[in-house]
Amino acid sequence: MGIYARVQVASESYAVPVGQVVEIRELGQGTYVPGAGPAILGVRNVRGQVLPVADLATLLGVHSQARATLMLVAEADGMRVGLAVDQVVDVGEMADPAEPADSSLLAGATVVGGELVGVIDVPRVLEALQRASGSRGRRGEEPHG
């Protein structure tokens, strides 16, 4: 058992280990980043730190009809990212992932109340975003600008 923040992305349920959640806030308006790729919605200044904001639906290949309204700020290995989500379902105990997942961005899946919940692997998400952007920045390095 672990403690997770469960979120809704389109019609799918996902969870992030609460130890990797910094905060959850309104998505708001970000700043567009030319050439960033379809998964990056832009950047936002969050408490004095400029963060990339990624569309979790696009990263996971989930088709969403509506624009996400919330941002879950996640952190791993000294790096942070804002993940756009539709809704926060709850924060609480949940069985750790025991089922395999069909995405490399998921640590696995578990069943909660009869519903399959994918568990986001935050370090893998950060790695995928870095590869997609061609970033060569060092861990913990503050963006300039």
Side-chain angles (χ1 to χ4, degrees):
M1 295 290 270
I3 300 177
Y4 294 85
R6 282 198 305 141
V7 298
Q8 195 78 28
V9 177
S11 62
E12 305 289 326
S13 292
Y14 296 96
V16 178
V18 81
Q20 295 177 325
V21 176
V22 177
E23 67 180 291
I24 299 168
R25 59 182 357 204
E26 294 294 318
L27 181 57
Q29 199 64 14
T31 302
Y32 173 73
V33 178
I40 300 294
L41 298 175
V43 294
R44 288 274 320 272
N45 185 326
V46 178
R47 302 185 192 281
Q49 184 179 15
V50 177
L51 297 180
V53 179
D55 182 2
L56 195 52
T58 300
L59 282 171
L60 295 169
V62 178
H63 181 68
S64 180
Q65 297 283 351
R67 182 181 183 273
T69 57
L70 296 174
M71 176 174 64
L72 182 146
V73 179
E75 179 177 51
D77 301 324
M79 296 179 285
R80 290 184 179 182
V81 65
L83 300 173
V85 300
D86 296 331
Q87 178 183 359
V88 175
V89 177
D90 69 6
V91 176
E93 275 195 350
M94 185 178 90
D96 291 324
E99 302 293 324
D102 60 357
S103 169
S104 64
L105 301 180
L106 299 178
T110 189
V111 177
V112 178
E115 181 178 39
L116 192 63
V117 178
V119 177
I120 304 293
D121 187 322
V122 175
R124 285 189 200 158
V125 168
L126 287 163
E127 288 171 14
L129 291 171
Q130 282 187 313
R131 278 194 310 273
S133 69
S135 173
R136 300 284 183 243
R138 292 187 305 262
R139 290 182 185 173
E141 187 175 83
E142 294 285 329
H144 298 284

